[in-house]
Amino acid sequence: MTETVELALKALEAQLNQPLETALEACARCGICAEACHYYRAEPKVEHIPAYRAEQLRSVYRHEHDFLSRLFPVWTGSKKLDEPTLLHLTEVAFSQCTLCRRCTVNCPLGVDTPLMMRAIRAMASAAGTAPEILVILADAAIEKGKDPSFYKEMFLEQITEMEEQLREITGDENATIPVEKQGAKILYVPLAGAHTILPPAVIFNAAKEDWTLSIFEAANYGVFLADMKRAKEVAKRIVDEANRLGVKEIVVAECGHAYASYRWDVPNWFAGEFNFKVRSLIEVIAEYIIDGKIKVDPTAIPEAVTYHDSCNLARSGGLIEEPRFVLKHVVSDFREMTPNKAEALCCGGGGGLVALAEYAERRIAAGKPKADQIKNTGARVVVAACENCRLQIGDLNEHYSLNVRITALTDLVVRAMRLPKPLPGAEAEHLFEGEKAAVTKI
């Protein structure tokens, strides 16, 4: 047995708790999960059936834990783990499953196939066979947390420039983007890039919120790797920041995996240190509309708009009605995809797959069912409250000639607020219909 295989098997053993053992033992091989999977819908092949993917891990598990399987492997379908098998398992877990959980919610026995795929990802991370780019991104975030001063000055300079844009957009000379504000109610955690800072800042200022901006980003590539050591180190940066500032609530940017992680996992990882409420930015915006803290005009967005349910937000996070509430207040023509909500089809870019260039062709092919859904709505604008989903749908838009515009929900809210100036890059959408016609004639 090589060291690589030994490390992978140790990682498997470390994860064998009741939920994983139940998933490994409970499958009835009925095949109902096939139609639930977007990979199978896009290309109906045996290897795209979730139960078949899970069987790849079960065969290794049986060899390690079933005496008869070691004696009669052909009879039971068991397989001794070796390096070629580990590499195959790694490819299956990272490129043929986005961890969307649609198979699980449609399984009569509730078999958690994504849990088994996470187990394989953990094995790959421990053995050093996981995709290198995900490891690099996770480690970069960890290093950033060790010494924020290295980039903090540059970050604050960028925020100062953004504040000038914020004042132009809002017409409010006192509008600010506070950083490291002690005792603020909300710690807002963005993603990398001004596009997840400036629009929320517009909304927070309009609502007169007591908030502060995190110096870290919400993305956690340790979660994609199923590497709990890395995932906890990445999350600890924000937990420590929230404790240091004494905030009451952590609000996460429009990001599926970050919301699911901070909402469900991180409070358990840091029990005793985590005394904060966690919400998505979408929930906060819905509350502002209900309380009248921001004013929105649905006639500002006359185009037909549809909404893509992020798997982590909707199916895993229960964030289903809030984005629809917001959309129905900021657009005049909202169209649902079918199926939707907890049964929504995955876009094909989740689980970190959108970052893996080597699997781009497979990712785009698996996204065809989502592309067909979008096309069938006839909508011209697709809203996705997740960065990875927006990137994937952008690629689907180009590949399948959907002729749609993809946007974050926050951007539409800002547009519907009818502010003095638009967000950068949204000048045309900011115009009233009559003004658009005038510009077209010119």
Side-chain angles (χ1 to χ4, degrees):
M1 182 187 298
T2 66
E3 183 182 2
T4 300
V5 171
E6 186 177 359
L7 289 170
L9 287 175
K10 282 183 178 178
L12 175 59
E13 294 301 316
Q15 295 176 89
L16 284 176
N17 55 18
Q18 189 174 8
L20 181 56
E21 288 184 12
T22 300
L24 287 163
E25 299 282 1
C27 181
R29 282 76 171 173
C30 66
I32 289 175
C33 56
E35 285 297 328
C37 180
H38 57 286
Y39 281 91
Y40 185 84
R41 284 187 172 216
E43 192 176 4
K45 296 164 65 174
V46 172
E47 54 263 43
H48 289 161
I49 299 174
Y52 179 86
R53 289 197 290 266
E55 196 62 27
Q56 311 306 300
L57 179 61
R58 289 193 184 100
S59 65
V60 172
Y61 168 76
R62 281 195 291 269
H63 186 274
E64 296 298 318
H65 289 270
D66 180 40
F67 176 71
L68 287 177
S69 290
R70 287 196 291 272
L71 291 178
F72 308 106
V74 176
W75 290 4
T76 65
S78 73
K79 186 175 179 63
K80 184 177 182 179
L81 186 66
D82 54 24
E83 291 201 19
T85 302
L86 177 59
L87 290 174
H88 172 67
L89 286 173
T90 300
E91 183 173 357
V92 168
F94 281 99
S95 76
Q96 295 180 31
C97 178
T98 55
L99 312 176
C100 80
R101 299 189 69 249
R102 196 168 190 268
C103 56
T104 300
V105 300
N106 283 280
C107 173
L109 298 176
V111 174
D112 198 339
T113 300
L115 182 63
M116 289 181 274
M117 295 300 103
R118 288 185 188 278
I120 296 173
R121 289 183 177 214
M123 292 167 66
S125 295
T129 62
E132 185 179 12
I133 184 63
L134 297 182
V135 175
I136 290 172
L137 290 168
D139 287 347
I142 292 167
E143 288 303 314
K144 187 177 179 181
K146 289 178 180 177
D147 185 14
S149 63
F150 182 73
Y151 73 94
K152 188 174 172 182
E153 186 177 342
M154 183 185 301
F155 177 75
L156 292 175
E157 287 176 3
Q158 293 171 336
I159 295 302
T160 300
E161 292 175 6
M162 267 186 257
E163 283 184 323
E164 291 301 318
Q165 290 179 298
L166 174 65
R167 289 163 189 151
E168 288 183 13
I169 292 166
T170 61
D172 180 0
E173 293 182 358
N174 298 315
T176 62
I177 302 176
V179 178
E180 297 194 314
K181 180 183 176 184
Q182 196 69 37
K185 176 188 170 187
I186 285 175
L187 174 66
Y188 170 65
V189 189
L191 297 172
H195 65 293
T196 67
I197 298 175
L198 190 54
V202 170
I203 294 170
F204 285 140
N205 275 274
K208 302 190 183 310
E209 186 58 82
D210 179 15
W211 72 293
T212 188
L213 178 68
S214 173
I215 62 173
F216 301 111
E217 66 289 332
N220 190 330
Y221 289 91
V223 170
F224 293 141
L225 289 164
D227 183 330
M228 289 304 98
K229 183 177 182 298
R230 282 188 171 102
K232 288 177 182 178
E233 286 188 66
V234 173
K236 192 175 189 301
R237 307 170 310 162
I238 294 164
V239 174
D240 288 348
E241 182 183 31
N243 275 314
R244 178 169 52 82
L245 296 176
V247 302
K248 295 181 176 62
E249 181 174 2
I250 293 174
V251 173
V252 182
E254 292 187 45
C255 177
H257 83 272
Y259 172 76
S261 176
Y262 283 96
R263 179 67 180 85
W264 308 113
D265 297 325
V266 177
N268 291 323
W269 296 344
F270 297 95
E273 299 177 55
F274 198 93
N275 299 308
F276 321 104
K277 184 177 182 179
V278 176
R279 286 195 292 172
S280 164
L281 179 61
I282 298 168
E283 295 173 275
V284 175
I285 292 172
E287 183 181 85
Y288 290 162
I289 293 174
I290 290 170
D291 294 344
K293 290 186 176 181
I294 60 172
K295 304 298 181 184
V296 289
D297 176 9
T299 66
I301 303 165
E303 302 98 326
V305 175
T306 191
Y307 178 70
H308 163 69
D309 285 284
S310 156
C311 302
N312 272 312
L313 289 178
R315 194 155 34 246
S316 297
L319 203 63
I320 293 174
E321 298 305 329
E322 291 88 344
R324 287 170 170 81
F325 173 84
V326 174
L327 280 168
K328 287 171 184 177
H329 282 79
V330 301
V331 307
S332 52
D333 185 359
F334 174 59
R335 304 180 184 184
E336 287 277 18
M337 297 188 205
T338 304
N340 54 53
K341 301 182 179 181
E343 285 288 347
L345 294 177
C346 179
C347 67
L353 189 57
V354 79
L356 305 179
E358 63 269 36
Y359 300 129
E361 186 176 344
R362 186 174 296 175
R363 169 172 61 83
I364 296 299
K368 188 173 187 304
K370 175 56 63 175
D372 291 341
Q373 271 195 307
I374 293 169
K375 190 178 292 184
N376 290 339
T377 65
R380 298 272 55 87
V381 178
V382 180
V383 177
C386 173
E387 183 90 341
N388 286 342
C389 293
R390 287 194 294 275
L391 291 170
Q392 167 72 347
I393 295 171
D395 288 344
L396 298 179
N397 185 32
E398 182 178 349
H399 184 82
Y400 294 107
S401 302
L402 301 179
N403 192 30
V404 295
R405 186 165 58 85
I406 301 95
T407 182
L409 179 56
T410 310
D411 291 3
L412 282 194
V413 173
V414 172
R415 184 177 159 193
M417 288 169 69
R418 295 291 199 191
L419 297 168
K421 287 193 176 181
L423 292 168
E427 289 80 6
E429 290 83 0
H430 182 75
L431 297 173
F432 288 82
E433 284 304 293
E435 293 173 313
K436 283 185 181 180
V439 170
T440 304
K441 287 179 182 178
I442 292 171

